[in-house]
Amino acid sequence: MTNLKEKFAQTRSQTQALCAPLKIEDYSIQPIIDVSPPKWHLAHSTWFFEQFILQPHQPNYKVYNTDFAYLFNSYYNNVGTRVLRPNRGLMTRPTVEEVYAYRNYVTAAMLDFLDFEFPSELIPVLELGINHEEQHQELLAYDIKYILGNQPFFPSYETKAKLSVENFDLEYINIAEGVYNIGHRSDTFCFDNELGAHKVYLNTCSISNKLVTNAEYIEFIEAGGYTNFNYWHAEGWDFIQNNKLTAPLYWHKVNGNWHYYDQTGLVPVNKDLPVMHVSYFEAFAFAEWKGMRLPTEFEWEVASNHFRWGQLWEWTSSAYQPYPGFTKKEGAIGEYNGKFMVNQQVLRGASISTAPNHSRNTYRNFFSTQLRWLFSGIRLAQ
Amino acid sequence: MTNLKEKFAQTRSQTQALCAPLKIEDYSIQPIIDVSPPKWHLAHSTWFFEQFILQPHQPNYKVYNTDFAYLFNSYYNNVGTRVLRPNRGLMTRPTVEEVYAYRNYVTAAMLDFLDFEFPSELIPVLELGINHEEQHQELLAYDIKYILGNQPFFPSYETKAKLSVENFDLEYINIAEGVYNIGHRSDTFCFDNELGAHKVYLNTCSISNKLVTNAEYIEFIEAGGYTNFNYWHAEGWDFIQNNKLTAPLYWHKVNGNWHYYDQTGLVPVNKDLPVMHVSYFEAFAFAEWKGMRLPTEFEWEVASNHFRWGQLWEWTSSAYQPYPGFTKKEGAIGEYNGKFMVNQQVLRGASISTAPNHSRNTYRNFFSTQLRWLFSGIRLAQ
Amino acid sequence: MTNLKEKFAQTRSQTQALCAPLKIEDYSIQPIIDVSPPKWHLAHSTWFFEQFILQPHQPNYKVYNTDFAYLFNSYYNNVGTRVLRPNRGLMTRPTVEEVYAYRNYVTAAMLDFLDFEFPSELIPVLELGINHEEQHQELLAYDIKYILGNQPFFPSYETKAKLSVENFDLEYINIAEGVYNIGHRSDTFCFDNELGAHKVYLNTCSISNKLVTNAEYIEFIEAGGYTNFNYWHAEGWDFIQNNKLTAPLYWHKVNGNWHYYDQTGLVPVNKDLPVMHVSYFEAFAFAEWKGMRLPTEFEWEVASNHFRWGQLWEWTSSAYQPYPGFTKKEGAIGEYNGKFMVNQQVLRGASISTAPNHSRNTYRNFFSTQLRWLFSGIRLAQ
Amino acid sequence: MTNLKEKFAQTRSQTQALCAPLKIEDYSIQPIIDVSPPKWHLAHSTWFFEQFILQPHQPNYKVYNTDFAYLFNSYYNNVGTRVLRPNRGLMTRPTVEEVYAYRNYVTAAMLDFLDFEFPSELIPVLELGINHEEQHQELLAYDIKYILGNQPFFPSYETKAKLSVENFDLEYINIAEGVYNIGHRSDTFCFDNELGAHKVYLNTCSISNKLVTNAEYIEFIEAGGYTNFNYWHAEGWDFIQNNKLTAPLYWHKVNGNWHYYDQTGLVPVNKDLPVMHVSYFEAFAFAEWKGMRLPTEFEWEVASNHFRWGQLWEWTSSAYQPYPGFTKKEGAIGEYNGKFMVNQQVLRGASISTAPNHSRNTYRNFFSTQLRWLFSGIRLAQ
């Protein structure tokens, strides 16, 4: 219990640490539908503990503000009406100060509850709440970068989450044909979409031990990668045409040289670092151009013990589908994953902004194929 | 000169007084394209003095920040590129604090300039700048109301700009057929669209000495005003259908009774007050239902000495067109009015949020026919 | 009566003559919302006689097909539901053959009715029906040109409606300041929007006796007319930017020379002919560039006896507003004009595709400011 | 060779037989982007033989009309520019008659070529061309139904392709856990996406031997299937909300009873027939409501020898992804399948409108998850 309490407290304060460098003005905007205002993340991750732990299970708990459930529910249709996602950026009230007061109130109530009579059957929900907040920490990192990276003067943001160069030789890891086990097997925490451990049959393949670098990606751009439809899915080609894309997100050509916003400001692209902020469409096109392909999520999981991972989420060629035997939990908690299992692509690994205990090689992250604001990268297979 | 200096100082501080009740968060959002963030108004009205007075004419003036021209230019294509209107609400930087610093810097520089060697040929530009800022004060009033009136909990905003009941008997003022003079004739300040004094020929008509009240408007609603297309322009009918409108802006039916947001909170509609926040489409439909019509802007101007006006801008049946002999000034200043003279309707009068010296019966305000967030009302003619 | 019957018969056959060169396939499409399928015009102008004359007033008349009222009602909300305008081009049934059968049935029934007991109180409705069909003949001319002019190979269409060169010297006709009479005064047919003859006061002005030619318009293009925002309304500038317009409708640059579709095919622009297919925005911008302006509709009407007109509808600077004393008729007929009196601009004159008896100098045509498929031209004033 | 020639001739005439009941007007419209005009199918399937066989390989062949390549190329970016899909319905020229002339010309030239010196290395392209035209026959069936089913009066269309009742008892076919072979193995024709035969590991499952019926689907509707978000993917729920869907495509409630357009007209739903015209979203929601699931495409393929299939394409829970070892062919032919392998769902089986030789249990059909105009149905697994 002490460990969980500490973990809880640490998670709560880590979320706030991420927001510490922000100005009040940065907290409330929603520049695109995928990016939520930081204020909203602070409140929503708080609401989760109030809604699923304190309110139903702590008899003395007094709800902070009954209207907040309406404001800060994200997508749980089972828990009543909610602010539609496109309108999150129009809420100037409650203010940032009020949201921090709400956080403090709920954090204190949770710590009290954890000190005394916390029922052991709630531990899974607590763990889910912590992991849920950790997921929002990562989304916060994406959203803060997007908000600041689109300000006219590229303000700087202090963070320890920095990419590093992969200083080792390129190798291809071979996987032998055969039947392999897939999925989460231990009794530690995992999300429902990792459960249903099962066997898959893999063909021979080999996977790179390194991520694709900016240097390689610039080569792709300069070879006409964004102007030759043969490398692209039909839908990807339409997407880059309609949005006039010619490089990863945050890249700008300044006086003929590629620069990007890397949270210190607008700086020249570091060619040795892994390429970041590419969509699935771009990852696929790059692989086609190389005459290679992306690994499936199963190949990735099987090979993952043989290479370093964790700097960037890695696009796989696998669509996000339920594992055999996947079942949705009853009620709101059941809405967590299952309802997104269509028209999304799986990413495996972790990123520099993933909470450390959140990293495991069975973790199934997923995003729509056109998104680029996540911390995504490319690993090739053949 | 002293008078103008005082007027300048008073205008600058009045703009800031309007924003005093706001929270930092309220300053930066743009909930709909027509509503600009308060922060933007503060900066844009400042930029005007820097751009057209200090920078070209005060030799010692040091521009505060060369990038601000890009950020805070509104629509003057002649003065370089500008932030597109739909993106104003995504600028979290410069912060509110930085914008106030910019204001103070420019205000101080202007006051210095006014103290000493202010060239008399700049007085017209100074007057335009003051009137321009007064116009933005009124837009600020509209925009602040819109931002707060769309918060889930209807926060209160302190203001002295309040409607009052017209406690006098209804009469119709008759205008005799004949030739009348129209337009600004004295040598006091006016906008270019009021110049070109000229004659018009009016037919006999009579105009109400009172504005339409909420009680009368509720009668219209209850008589099926919003469900009978015969009262509406084809375009107005489409507009209320597509937007599912059934009442003026800010009106909500709570437990069967009409309420509205009046800046103190969500309160029952005061039936004796003039109806406010109607579009031209609604004003026209109301008049049709009454078997009457809206006055033309010329009828209004001729009759205006015979009734009280100034609580709300009054929709007229006149499209916004240039007066005979209207000419655009050269360069950016010439963009002020002429380029909007199409597909807009003229409003006459003034509102509770109009700067006092800004009220004159030749003033030609104009807005698109579907807009409702302005402080607009209805006066009938026949 | 004989004259009206002949006029009716002639109108009906003229509509069909316009369609004679079409292929069956050309009759059913609606390439943009403003363009109706020719089949629809054929049926709608027929439905008018059935709906407003035969069905209510001819006791023995048997409605051809009760469903046709639903299909071929254009915008008369008072006469029940109707096919929404954007869906007109999806109706493949009834077929063209069936629509002609419907036309013949109604024409025959009308001729019978006109032979015998046609009640004199219906003559105004009959005249309206004939004028209504003549209006649709003109729209048919626009729509057929649009349909064929957007086919990949520019098919030819035989028509006698051709522009001719204005072979006379340019002069400016002066109008003296003073009070003038405006509006339809005789007891011949006119539309309701021309009634309400009244006085207006005009300032001195002068109007060109010639339309602007293609040569002059090419000069405007080559002088950067489409790239300098100073000539344009703000809304017009946005419109040409968003639609990437650089020339009138149907113009294409082929090997560096301007060509247009003129119903014979894609041919070099004839520089001596009047320029055609410009929007109000373009007409206004052209005038600004010339340092002149468009006439008001009243100036046009007063001056019209002094110049030749009738080749193209001429954009005026007047918004489409009701005349003093304008009243809508009760019921569906009242929907004819009044409900469009907002956000439209008046055109005066007539075009090569206007029915001869349809031309009079009090006629008030009107279209939205961005439309270009009508047969519109430019006459300058100053 | 004789067989192939006969097959070719039979395919060409079968396409035309499908169009025989149409009126000329039905050939040219494109009511939604997914539905192509029948005229376009007739021409496009012809263009394929001209483009890939006659023009490059038959030395004496004279291209019918060089512009047709531009008009009737569908999506082969490698073969030059093409008419954008949304504009296909605006081409009234070439006329239907001209398109049939083009068909006859190319058919005759192909038959000549097949009589004499047809090079054996072209047989794969010929087979692809025939299979390609067979695919378009099926799309024609969908598109014709859509065009006619959206006419106001539901015209009848003669066809032998009719659903029949599955008159046998419901059973569940069990599949044992283990490794299975998947993919096309013989040397008969198949598409490139079926190649790459490989092993997969399946868990125990059981699959229904019957398709879901209209009676069962009505039960789902009446149990609130379309109003309870718990059964739906988040994207599916948004889709049915935005489009106000409450039943399969072509269903209308008439006097309280479900009717549908079944190509004879608007008739009461036959409850014993398999349900048809559901999207993947609807198939998934139905299965969720039943507490079951859709089979994967591999389960389906393995079980398919144990049940009757071929009335409707059956949605599987598998996203459309390349098989291991899938490689795109060089050039235009390589654009056939690979570029669609994202955000699509696999359907297995065949429909009443599938060409008989086109049916095989390795065939991988695919469509976007929201589409309903295809001949799709539901088979459950658990």
Side-chain angles (χ1 to χ4, degrees), chain A residues 35-278:
Chain A
V35 168
S36 291
K39 190 173 76 176
W40 187 88
H41 288 293
L42 290 173
H44 169 69
S45 54
T46 299
W47 166 84
F48 190 100
F49 292 109
E50 185 177 61
Q51 175 73 30
F52 295 116
I53 295 182
L54 291 171
Q55 192 182 348
H57 302 294
Q58 156 64 299
N60 302 322
Y61 182 72
K62 193 159 156 281
V63 167
Y64 185 75
N65 181 330
T66 50
D67 295 314
F68 281 20
Y70 164 74
L71 296 178
F72 300 126
N73 177 1
S74 61
Y75 57 81
Y76 300 92
N77 288 300
N78 280 303
V79 196
T81 54
R82 58 200 162 92
V83 173
L84 286 181
R85 195 162 181 171
N87 295 329
R88 284 182 193 162
L90 306 181
M91 269 198 287
T92 63
R93 316 288 184 95
T95 63
V96 173
E97 196 181 342
E98 287 163 339
V99 163
Y100 275 117
Y102 173 45
R103 275 190 77 84
N104 293 342
Y105 178 89
V106 168
T107 300
M110 281 293 296
L111 290 174
D112 273 3
F113 197 18
L114 286 161
D115 268 346
F116 296 101
E117 62 237 298
F118 196 78
S120 62
E121 67 270 26
L122 289 183
I123 289 178
V125 187
L126 173 61
E127 283 190 311
L128 182 60
I130 291 169
N131 277 272
H132 171 257
E133 182 150 346
E134 285 174 338
Q135 285 186 315
H136 279 277
Q137 286 169 5
E138 180 145 10
L139 290 172
L140 253 176
Y142 302 169
D143 293 353
I144 288 170
K145 185 166 183 182
Y146 194 92
I147 289 167
L148 299 182
N150 282 286
Q151 294 305 320
F153 309 126
F154 303 104
S156 123
Y157 168 85
E158 281 166 53
T159 174
K160 287 178 199 148
K162 288 184 195 300
L163 283 185
S164 54
V165 176
E166 295 189 334
N167 275 321
F168 42 82
D169 289 340
L170 176 69
E171 276 178 65
Y172 283 88
I173 296 130
N174 293 312
I175 305 175
E177 186 167 358
V179 174
Y180 291 89
N181 287 315
I182 290 294
H184 189 81
R185 273 159 210 274
S186 81
D187 55 4
T188 56
F189 177 85
C190 76
F191 287 108
D192 57 356
N193 62 359
E194 303 167 57
L195 291 172
H198 64 288
K199 293 190 172 58
V200 300
Y201 192 94
L202 296 186
N203 286 271
T204 314
C205 80
S206 68
I207 301 191
S208 171
N209 69 333
K210 298 186 70 166
L211 293 171
V212 169
T213 63
N214 286 324
E216 293 173 283
Y217 202 84
I218 287 173
E219 230 183 293
F220 167 64
I221 295 172
E222 290 176 353
Y226 283 83
T227 57
N228 183 338
F229 49 79
N230 282 305
Y231 306 135
W232 298 82
H233 289 113
E235 197 180 325
W237 180 248
D238 287 350
F239 184 75
I240 65 162
Q241 297 292 302
N242 293 340
N243 293 281
K244 300 192 174 63
L245 302 186
T246 60
L249 184 62
Y250 302 124
W251 287 41
H252 302 265
K253 213 162 198 170
V254 182
N255 300 326
N257 297 308
W258 284 113
H259 287 59
Y260 54 25
Y261 175 68
D262 77 343
Q263 307 199 293
T264 67
L266 192 69
V267 300
V269 166
N270 179 336
K271 297 195 176 177
D272 296 331
L273 286 177
V275 67
M276 190 177 179
H277 293 301
V278 289

Side-chain angles (χ1 to χ4, degrees), chain D residues 21-246:
Chain D
L22 298 182
K23 302 291 184 190
I24 297 290
E25 291 87 343
D26 301 325
Y27 279 92
S28 297
I29 68 158
Q30 181 176 30
I32 54 170
I33 191 169
D34 307 292
V35 168
S36 291
K39 189 173 77 177
W40 187 89
H41 288 293
L42 290 173
H44 168 69
S45 53
T46 300
W47 165 85
F48 190 100
F49 292 109
E50 184 177 61
Q51 175 74 29
F52 296 116
I53 294 181
L54 291 170
Q55 192 182 347
H57 302 294
Q58 155 63 298
N60 302 322
Y61 181 73
K62 194 162 155 280
V63 167
Y64 185 75
N65 181 329
T66 50
D67 296 314
F68 281 20
Y70 165 73
L71 296 178
F72 300 126
N73 178 1
S74 62
Y75 57 82
Y76 300 93
N77 288 300
N78 279 305
V79 196
T81 53
R82 58 200 163 94
V83 173
L84 286 181
R85 195 161 181 172
N87 295 330
R88 283 181 194 163
L90 307 181
M91 268 199 287
T92 62
R93 315 288 184 95
T95 62
V96 173
E97 195 181 341
E98 287 163 339
V99 163
Y100 275 116
Y102 173 45
R103 275 190 77 83
N104 292 342
Y105 178 89
V106 167
T107 300
M110 281 293 296
L111 290 174
D112 273 3
F113 197 17
L114 285 161
D115 269 345
F116 296 100
E117 61 237 297
F118 197 77
S120 60
E121 68 270 25
L122 289 184
I123 288 179
V125 187
L126 173 62
E127 282 190 312
L128 183 60
I130 290 170
N131 277 271
H132 171 258
E133 182 149 347
E134 284 174 338
Q135 285 186 315
H136 279 278
Q137 286 169 5
E138 180 145 10
L139 290 172
L140 253 177
Y142 302 170
D143 293 352
I144 288 171
K145 184 167 183 182
Y146 194 92
I147 289 167
L148 299 182
N150 284 285
Q151 295 305 319
F153 308 127
F154 303 105
S156 126
Y157 169 84
E158 281 165 53
T159 174
K160 286 178 199 149
K162 288 184 194 302
L163 283 185
S164 54
V165 176
E166 295 190 331
N167 274 321
F168 42 83
D169 290 340
L170 176 69
E171 276 180 62
Y172 282 89
I173 296 129
N174 293 311
I175 305 176
E177 186 168 357
V179 174
Y180 290 90
N181 287 315
I182 289 295
H184 189 80
R185 273 159 211 275
S186 82
D187 55 4
T188 56
F189 177 85
C190 75
F191 286 108
D192 57 357
N193 62 359
E194 304 166 56
L195 290 172
H198 63 289
K199 293 190 172 59
V200 300
Y201 192 94
L202 295 187
N203 287 270
T204 314
C205 81
S206 67
I207 300 191
S208 170
N209 69 332
K210 298 185 71 166
L211 294 171
V212 170
T213 63
N214 285 324
E216 293 174 283
Y217 202 84
I218 287 173
E219 232 184 292
F220 167 64
I221 295 173
E222 290 177 353
Y226 282 84
T227 57
N228 184 337
F229 49 77
N230 282 306
Y231 306 135
W232 298 81
H233 288 113
E235 197 180 325
W237 180 248
D238 287 350
F239 184 75
I240 65 162
Q241 297 292 302
N242 293 340
N243 293 281
K244 300 192 174 61
L245 302 187
T246 60

Side-chain angles (χ1 to χ4, degrees), chain C residues 163-167 210-216 218 260 269-275 311:
Chain C
L163 283 184
S164 54
V165 176
E166 296 189 329
N167 275 320
K210 298 186 72 167
L211 294 171
V212 169
T213 63
N214 286 322
E216 293 173 282
I218 287 173
Y260 54 25
V269 166
N270 179 337
K271 296 194 177 178
D272 297 330
L273 286 178
V275 67
Q311 291 217 76

Side-chain angles (χ1 to χ4, degrees), chain B residues 40 44 53 65 68 193 243 251 274 318 321:
Chain B
W40 187 88
H44 168 69
I53 295 182
N65 182 328
F68 281 19
N193 61 0
N243 293 281
W251 287 40
S318 298
Q321 306 272 318

Side-chain angles (χ1 to χ4, degrees), chain A residues 78 230 234 317 321 328 339, chain D residues 78 230 234 317 321 328 339:
Chain A
N78 280 303
N230 282 305
S317 69
Q321 304 271 321
K328 288 209 309 195
K339 72 180 181 182
Chain D
N78 279 305
N230 282 306
S317 68
Q321 305 271 321
K328 287 209 309 196
K339 72 179 180 183

